[in-house]
Amino acid sequence: MSNFEQNDALKVGTNEMELVDFRIHKLEKGKLYEGIYGINVAKVNEIIRLPELTELPGVPDYIEGIFDLRGIVIPVINLAKWMGVDIPKSKKIKPRVIIAEFNNIMIGFIVHEAKRIRRINWKDIEPAHFSSSATSNLDKNKITGVTRIEGDQVLLILDLESIVQDLGFYQPEMTAERTYNKFSGLALVLDDSAIARKIIKEFLEKMGFDVAEASDGVAGLQKLDKLYENYGEKLTKQLKIIISDIEMPQMDGFHFAAKVKEDQRFAKIPIVFSSSISDKFSEDRGREAGAESYLVKFDGNKFHDEISRIVNKYDNQ
């Protein structure tokens, strides 16, 4: 259970998120700079002082070690090292560890300072590939979004899930002995991560679906409009399912789902959320938005079984 209480005002359809604002100090050309970053509150369990760590041999240098947190062994990642920045020796640095949980995995991230919680509208967040100077010194594959805060400063949302992928903490495959149920028709996939879309698309194609893709909720609504132009009222029979991420620039999954359910052309098409956020609050918000199911990335067997169940249910109605 997260120690960060979700504000009751953060309702489905508001297209807002809350971020923990944290800082990473770095040296560039001999000068000290403060990088501003954010992580979704829904992924944060708590923030603690840097504990004594047990080092692990033969791991990447950005893994500082592990420690025991109330009976759970937590790997700890030094975000500055992962980002490849030059870490200064400064009294301003007061290391904290953000204990985060996503993809049903708990992991600690060392930051130099934790500042505050910010509420930000997704429409004010640019996809990383749209940004230029704001991300010029950092690999854009490590960023999911960019937004402006007070004083025209730039806050970057890091793709922390990519660390989990880099370390092989989970494998998004189905077990070899499983057989795929075969379907026909279309599936629409929304995710701002090209890697996530690729994984989900491969699952769905093995199940027999043709797959349409969109990178966020705005693009998803545009894709639905185009599909309706092609199929008209037959779309509800042709488009079997919509699978949507939650955290997406421009328009998040909750707001997208609410818009879809308000539109009589698309209201009968089932929606499934596929997200790295693994807290109960988000699952409840998913149901409130009208989703049939909420899946945590990536469990191939569960994904297959749940999509099969939902498509069969709607085909039999």
Side-chain angles (χ1 to χ4, degrees):
M1 180 69 179
S2 173
N3 289 347
F4 286 82
E5 293 299 326
Q6 303 289 336
N7 192 313
D8 288 340
L10 196 60
K11 300 294 186 183
V12 169
T14 61
N15 203 35
E16 292 179 323
M17 72 178 301
E18 289 183 333
L19 289 170
V20 174
D21 171 333
F22 65 88
R23 309 298 167 95
I24 298 289
H25 299 280
K26 56 186 175 180
L27 277 176
E28 287 185 7
K29 298 179 180 179
K31 292 185 178 181
L32 181 65
Y33 291 92
E34 180 182 69
I36 306 172
Y37 304 93
I39 179 174
N40 195 328
V41 166
K43 297 179 179 177
V44 177
N45 280 20
E46 56 188 299
I47 300 174
I48 63 174
R49 295 181 183 275
L50 182 62
E52 184 176 343
L53 301 176
T54 300
E55 294 184 3
L56 295 173
V59 298
D61 66 346
Y62 57 81
I63 302 178
E64 294 288 346
I66 58 175
F67 77 104
D68 186 290
L69 178 66
R70 297 184 290 275
I72 300 174
V73 176
I74 308 290
V76 176
I77 304 299
N78 188 318
L79 278 182
K81 288 183 179 179
W82 177 68
M83 292 187 292
V85 304
D86 191 0
I87 306 172
K89 293 181 179 179
S90 172
K91 292 182 180 179
K92 290 184 178 180
I93 295 179
K94 302 172 183 177
R96 294 290 185 269
V97 178
I98 297 176
I99 306 298
E101 183 174 2
F102 48 89
N103 301 102
N104 288 323
I105 297 166
M106 288 186 68
I107 192 166
F109 297 99
I110 297 175
V111 302
H112 295 161
E113 190 177 2
K115 295 288 276 190
R116 54 175 287 192
I117 294 177
R118 296 180 178 274
R119 179 171 293 184
I120 294 176
N121 196 299
W122 279 107
K123 69 179 177 59
D124 296 325
I125 298 175
E126 286 185 22
H129 60 271
F130 287 171
S131 180
S132 54
S133 59
T135 60
S136 58
N137 295 322
L138 186 60
D139 183 353
K140 290 182 182 179
N141 290 330
K142 295 181 178 179
I143 304 166
T144 58
V146 179
T147 190
R148 300 277 175 179
I149 57 175
E150 64 273 359
D152 206 32
Q153 298 182 90
V154 175
L155 181 147
L156 306 179
I157 303 173
L158 293 177
D159 184 9
L160 300 180
E161 288 85 351
S162 66
I163 297 178
V164 178
Q165 288 180 302
D166 289 346
L167 296 176
F169 284 177
Y170 66 88
Q171 298 296 328
E173 290 95 12
M174 287 183 61
T175 54
E177 64 271 16
R178 291 294 298 268
T179 58
Y180 288 84
N181 292 339
K182 290 296 184 180
F183 296 92
S184 60
L186 280 170
L188 173 61
V189 176
L190 282 71
D191 203 302
D192 61 330
S193 166
I195 293 174
R197 289 200 307 273
K198 180 176 182 291
I199 292 170
I200 294 172
K201 182 179 180 181
E202 287 176 354
F203 281 152
L204 292 168
E205 287 179 338
K206 287 180 180 178
M207 295 174 70
F209 295 106
D210 293 320
V211 180
E213 301 177 56
S215 59
D216 58 55
V218 172
L221 292 177
Q222 292 171 347
K223 182 70 70 174
L224 283 173
D225 283 336
K226 289 181 180 179
L227 289 172
Y228 192 81
E229 288 178 10
N230 291 335
Y231 294 100
E233 293 182 0
K234 294 180 180 179
L235 180 61
T236 55
K237 295 294 184 183
Q238 184 68 23
L239 181 56
K240 301 294 186 176
I241 198 159
I242 299 170
I243 299 161
S244 176
D245 189 17
I246 290 174
E247 298 176 284
M248 298 181 290
Q250 304 298 305
M251 181 185 291
D252 72 354
F254 294 136
H255 195 53
F256 165 79
K259 289 282 190 183
V260 170
K261 293 304 177 182
E262 289 171 0
D263 193 321
Q264 293 304 308
R265 296 175 300 169
F266 315 126
K268 294 181 180 180
I269 301 169
I271 298 174
V272 171
F273 286 122
S274 174
S275 174
S276 61
I277 301 174
S278 48
D279 71 323
K280 182 68 166 54
F281 179 77
S282 297
E283 187 174 344
D284 290 343
R285 290 185 74 197
R287 290 198 200 94
E288 187 182 340
E292 282 285 324
S293 186
Y294 186 103
L295 298 172
V296 177
K297 299 174 181 175
F298 287 106
D299 182 332
N301 293 323
K302 187 171 183 179
F303 180 91
H304 170 270
D305 292 346
E306 193 66 356
I307 298 303
S308 297
R309 179 189 69 81
I310 293 167
V311 172
N312 283 328
K313 170 185 171 183
Y314 275 74
D315 278 349
N316 292 329
Q317 287 182 352

